[in-house]
Amino acid sequence: MWSRRAFGSSVAIIACGCGVPSASMAAPVLPIDLSAIPAFAHEQTMRLAIAEARGNPAFPFGAVILRAADRHVMATGVNKSAANPTFHGEIVAINDYVARHGNRGWEEAILYTTGEPCPMCMSAIVWAGIGGVVWGTSIEQLRQFGINQILVPATTVIGGSAFYHGEILGQVLQAETDALFRNRKRS
């Protein structure tokens, strides 16, 4: 299911992977309704992801994972692809989460990221079962800013999953995240 909704001062893209739960799940978990969370709460957390992103001025992909119920920050990450090409901000945050909390509780988490997750990161999010994803700058816009991208939107990745129940919300604080990528340090 895909829809566009008014969200704060902008329009956001929302998609829900509403497939059938896998047989290995003990009990179905209700998806997080990202549209029920006030715009200011999404913006506040996106600003934390922006702060993380400033840790890599060349590739300002910052991510924050929080527990939806109480908005507690559970993990953070920034792009470290100079050390390992798979260490995008989302993957670093996922690894930080596992180090702190183990490989559980994903369905209760929301991942905030400055850029729309690439297919690799979105696939990791789907496999983990993270309850929601909120991003700022789209993959297409990242490409226009000169950052190489695989042009497969996150919504396409979740649309290919019959078991992912999370929602995705895009274009949150897009003007601020666009500025990060537009003004990034270039070699």
Side-chain angles (χ1 to χ4, degrees), residues 21 25 27-32 107-108 165:
M25 290 180 62
V29 176
L30 295 176
I32 296 169
E107 66 281 350
E108 301 168 5
H165 297 283

Side-chain angles (χ1 to χ4, degrees), residues 96-111:
D96 184 40
Y97 181 98
V98 171
R100 293 181 189 203
H101 310 285
N103 187 12
R104 63 184 179 281
W106 296 111
E107 66 281 350
E108 301 168 5
I110 302 171
L111 187 146

Side-chain angles (χ1 to χ4, degrees), residues 1 8 64 70 99 102 139 146 151 156 174:
M1 176 170 69
V64 172
D70 60 5
I139 286 177
L151 297 176
T156 299
Q174 182 178 357

Side-chain angles (χ1 to χ4, degrees), residues 4-161:
R4 294 179 68 82
R5 296 184 189 165
F7 189 79
S9 61
S10 66
V11 173
I13 297 170
I14 297 181
C16 177
C18 298
V20 177
S22 69
S24 64
M25 290 180 62
V29 176
L30 295 176
I32 296 169
D33 182 1
L34 294 176
S35 65
I37 298 169
F40 75 86
H42 286 308
E43 292 169 355
Q44 179 182 33
T45 310
M46 184 61 75
R47 285 196 174 94
L48 295 175
I50 290 169
E52 285 296 316
R54 296 191 196 292
N56 185 338
F59 294 99
F61 293 89
V64 172
I65 299 173
L66 61 77
R67 188 172 41 232
D70 60 5
R71 311 287 299 166
H72 175 73
V73 173
M74 306 291 285
T76 62
V78 65
N79 183 292
K80 295 183 180 182
S81 60
N84 180 318
T86 67
F87 286 174
H88 293 191
E90 298 93 334
I91 301 298
V92 173
I94 288 169
N95 286 332
D96 184 40
Y97 181 98
V98 171
R100 293 181 189 203
H101 310 285
N103 187 12
R104 63 184 179 281
W106 296 111
E107 66 281 350
E108 301 168 5
I110 302 171
L111 187 146
Y112 287 79
T113 179
T114 55
E116 179 179 0
C118 72
M120 175 187 72
C121 293
M122 196 63 224
S123 294
I125 290 164
V126 166
W127 283 115
I130 294 174
V133 180
V134 179
W135 54 265
T137 298
S138 71
I139 286 177
E140 177 56 36
Q141 190 63 48
L142 292 167
R143 186 192 62 74
Q144 290 177 19
F145 290 139
I147 301 171
N148 289 333
Q149 293 295 304
I150 298 171
L151 297 176
V152 177
T155 53
T156 299
V157 175
I158 66 171
S161 165

